[in-house]
Amino acid sequence: MTESAASASLAATAPAPGIAEPAADRGRRARLALRTVQVLLALFYAVASALPKLIAHPSAVDSFDRIGWGGVGMYTIGALELAGAVALLIPVLQSVAATALSALMVGAFSVQLTVFDGHNAATPLILIVPLALIAWARREQNTRLWGLLRSRT
């Protein structure tokens, strides 16, 4: 095949500008984007949110003392956030983890409003959006998880 024939063949198979891309390509990109969001959220929850609580960073200690939950509450929330971060990366747990972290963010929003006079109250609400998207997009894993749990009983 000549170079011009090969170019013509490629041009015939490539979508013309303005033509919709194949559904398989869109699906692949959507899965990659969702996976990227999951990894970024997992990193956020593990490093920026759970770690300060688990190492008793002074800012976390002060916040939980102000809430009235002390060290027990701080370590518990830190452990839940770390568990959620890890579970966001495990396929069968992704939807459940996103749902659980969303519930945790509802609690965080309530605490921000009532204890901290709304300071940083938008952060939990912003985090709920991608978490809800993950929970919905990975919902088929709930059936798989349920099947795994039922087979062990």
Side-chain angles (χ1 to χ4, degrees):
M1 184 182 289
T2 67
E3 186 176 330
S4 62
S7 297
S9 175
L10 282 175
T13 60
I19 303 255
E21 63 182 311
D25 289 344
R26 282 193 310 271
R28 191 174 10 257
R29 276 196 233 165
R31 284 189 303 277
L32 179 61
L34 187 63
R35 189 65 174 164
T36 301
V37 169
Q38 285 176 236
V39 169
L40 291 174
L41 280 172
L43 285 170
F44 169 79
Y45 278 105
V47 177
S49 195
L51 184 63
K53 295 170 183 83
L54 296 175
I55 65 169
H57 189 274
S59 64
V61 171
D62 292 344
S63 293
F64 278 86
D65 284 345
R66 187 168 171 193
I67 295 168
W69 294 358
V72 172
M74 179 180 66
Y75 290 121
T76 301
I77 297 297
L80 289 171
E81 289 175 339
L82 184 59
V86 171
L88 277 175
L89 302 175
I90 300 171
V92 74
L93 298 176
Q94 293 167 345
S95 180
V96 171
T99 302
L101 286 170
S102 293
L104 204 57
M105 291 301 97
V106 170
F109 174 73
S110 299
V111 167
Q112 293 296 334
L113 282 181
T114 58
V115 178
F116 298 103
D117 300 321
H119 184 67
N120 293 327
T123 303
L125 292 179
I126 292 167
L127 290 168
I128 287 174
V129 173
L131 288 169
L133 177 65
I134 292 165
W136 181 81
R138 304 294 192 201
R139 68 192 180 280
E140 73 279 353
Q141 295 297 333
N142 293 336
T143 304
R144 190 169 153 221
L145 177 61
W146 183 248
L148 288 171
L149 292 173
R150 291 185 69 199
S151 70
R152 293 183 184 228
T153 59

